[in-house]
Amino acid sequence: MSGTGSTYNLDDLLDRALSSPLALSSGEMAYLLSLGDDADVAKLHAAARSVKLKCCGRGVSVRGLVEAGNICAKDCLYCGIRKSNAEVERYSLDADSIVAAAQEAKSLGYASLVIQSGEIESEAHTQFIETVLGRIKPLDLGVTLSLGEQTEEVYARWREAGAERYLLRIETSDPALYATIHPAECRWERRAECLRALRRTGYQVGTGVMCALPGQTFASLAHDIEFYGGIDADMIGMGPYIPHPSTPLGQNAQFDPKRALSLALNMIAVTRLYLHDINIAAATALQALADDGRERGVMAGANVIMPNVTDTRYRRAYKLYSNKPCLDEAATMCRACLDRRLAAIGEELLLGQRGDSPHFHRRMDKCLKA
Ligand code: 5AD
Ligand code: FES
């Protein structure tokens, strides 16, 4: 990680960032990302949190997360469910189990659902997801899909079947860094094109990166935030990169969990300061590094949490990284735990609300007026 000189005045930068979105240069963002002194970090996070309160209000939007299957056709060098990891017991939930998880989410008061799985591109899978979307439609949940790279036609079919949002992390906005963490057949350009296709097909589009990847610089992370602005993202999900021992990137990895956590929190804060009214998730990976990681994400400007509603029988098998939390806690327990944790920081879950990003509504209003 390269250092940045401190020719910047922190208070001035934060004042400017608070007054309007897109007000920071990439050099200024790299400087803010590099902050490590406790008092400076506290100022940075407090400023981001005040933007969160101004643009998104008090409260945290909630989406129930269903890990629908861990079969994956890809071989990302960091990911625990990559196809070459023979140690993983593979599963895929049937439609009844996904619908049951959606009902569980609904009964807990979660008005939104995220369906995530390993990446599969096939007609059978496309149809399966269409069937599932049709069956959960009567529950009237806001549905996000996180099912990887697909053709525009597939995205359009799932949109038609009822999905409104799609999450596809770009992982890093730097094609050269992307190439060091993926096999050659995974092309950064295709991923970027998928994000454009999602926008064209009318989704609320979410993206994000992993923080503290080997070889990643503050400048590269600042560029990631500019990338979010450039594609006019509605939501961002970011978390620390956590080595998984059964992956090429995770073997013999030098890993400093404290540094990865601080960097991920600073990324949330600077993204909030640059983009103001988007949805930002406090990723579960934050909680893998500190028990109170997600609450710290909210205190640094995040406004979305995605508790797991997958049946606990399958949670161990969906392990993207080491130390995954909440492996044995059923959804009701996760709900009670979250209520308690958020109350401790003066926040609460926004139950019964879909939690679209204010940015998305502003974008739609602009389109209608144009
Ligand atoms: N550490 C942290 N995040 C990871 N992901 C995959 N593997 C890891 C890891 N080892 C993230 C990727 C992917 C998302 C579903 O999970 O960013 O897009
Ligand atoms: Fe499954 Fe990367 S290993 S999408």
Side-chain angles (χ1 to χ4, degrees):
M1 187 74 42
S2 70
T4 41
S6 54
T7 48
Y8 300 100
N9 181 307
L10 179 57
D11 294 323
D12 288 352
L13 283 191
L14 295 180
D15 278 351
R16 176 147 42 85
L18 284 170
S19 64
S20 65
L22 310 179
L24 298 168
S25 71
S26 65
E28 289 165 344
M29 289 198 278
Y31 159 70
L32 293 176
L33 290 169
S34 76
L35 293 177
D37 172 76
D38 285 351
D40 290 348
V41 170
K43 269 190 195 173
L44 172 71
H45 292 192
R49 178 158 166 75
S50 75
V51 176
K52 181 261 180 202
L53 290 170
K54 188 177 86 182
C55 298
C56 312
R58 197 165 286 281
V60 176
S61 294
V62 60
R63 289 105 180 64
L65 173 68
V66 188
E67 294 163 337
N70 64 0
I71 298 171
C72 191
K74 289 247 190 111
D75 231 356
C76 304
L77 304 185
Y78 47 83
C79 183
I81 63 166
R82 66 197 300 269
K83 73 170 175 202
S84 301
N85 184 2
E87 290 160 31
V88 178
E89 206 179 308
R90 304 285 167 173
Y91 75 93
S92 40
L93 297 188
D94 58 18
D96 286 347
S97 308
I98 301 177
V99 174
Q103 278 161 341
E104 172 80 357
K106 177 93 182 175
S107 70
L108 290 169
Y110 304 167
S112 285
L113 191 74
V114 179
I115 302 175
Q116 186 171 76
S117 79
E119 199 169 298
I120 303 169
E121 282 190 83
S122 73
E123 178 56 29
H125 181 62
T126 303
Q127 280 182 20
F128 172 71
I129 298 297
E130 283 176 322
T131 306
V132 167
L133 289 168
R135 286 190 53 193
I136 58 182
K137 208 172 219 164
L139 295 173
D140 194 28
L141 296 163
V143 178
T144 306
L145 297 180
S146 179
L147 306 174
E149 295 173 21
Q150 304 286 340
T151 63
E152 185 159 347
E153 188 213 324
V154 169
Y155 289 145
R157 282 171 61 181
W158 289 342
R159 178 81 187 83
E160 184 66 21
E164 294 171 343
R165 312 167 177 153
Y166 205 101
L167 277 177
L168 182 72
R169 287 188 180 178
I170 191 73
E171 313 297 358
T172 165
S173 65
D174 174 355
L177 180 59
Y178 190 89
T180 67
I181 60 169
H182 292 98
E185 67 273 14
C186 289
R187 289 174 36 250
W188 185 90
E189 287 73 19
R190 177 168 193 226
R191 215 159 171 87
E193 172 50 28
C194 283
L195 287 168
R196 288 192 289 273
L198 287 163
R199 171 51 43 76
R200 286 195 294 271
T201 27
Y203 285 90
Q204 294 181 48
V205 177
T207 190
V209 299
M210 285 178 287
C211 313
L213 286 166
Q216 194 178 38
T217 60
F218 294 122
S220 173
L221 287 163
H223 188 261
D224 293 339
I225 300 176
E226 291 183 319
F227 175 88
Y228 304 155
I231 66 160
D232 205 11
D234 299 302
M235 349 175 245
I236 301 297
M238 296 177 288
Y241 160 63
I242 305 173
H244 187 298
S246 330
T247 61
L249 206 66
Q251 274 155 19
N252 316 313
Q254 295 279 331
F255 182 57
D256 177 348
K258 247 179 110 180
R259 188 180 144 275
L261 179 63
S262 335
L263 193 56
L265 293 172
N266 282 3
M267 258 312 259
I268 289 175
V270 180
T271 301
R272 173 65 69 202
L273 287 169
Y274 189 67
L275 294 174
H276 281 211
D277 60 358
I278 54 163
N279 274 346
I280 303 180
T284 310
L286 293 169
Q287 198 189 350
L289 296 185
D291 190 46
D292 62 350
R294 289 174 306 175
E295 298 90 285
R296 286 167 70 181
V298 173
M299 294 305 283
N303 69 317
V304 175
I305 285 190
M306 308 200 298
N308 208 326
V309 291
T310 316
D311 192 307
T312 46
R313 269 181 296 168
Y314 300 102
R315 293 204 198 165
R316 246 164 257 282
Y318 198 90
K319 238 182 184 179
L320 308 180
Y321 46 79
S322 307
N323 210 22
K324 179 183 176 188
C326 306
L327 289 174
D328 298 310
E329 281 78 12
T332 24
M333 270 176 77
C334 283
R335 160 77 207 278
C337 164
L338 262 180
D339 283 339
R340 187 168 31 77
R341 286 168 177 279
L342 291 177
I345 57 165
E347 288 278 1
E348 59 178 343
L349 290 178
L350 297 171
L351 299 174
Q353 300 177 36
R354 285 184 177 212
D356 289 328
S357 85
H359 183 77
F360 174 71
H361 287 296
R362 237 157 260 151
R363 194 152 59 73
M364 289 297 112
D365 287 350
K366 265 194 238 155
C367 287
L368 289 174
K369 281 183 199 132

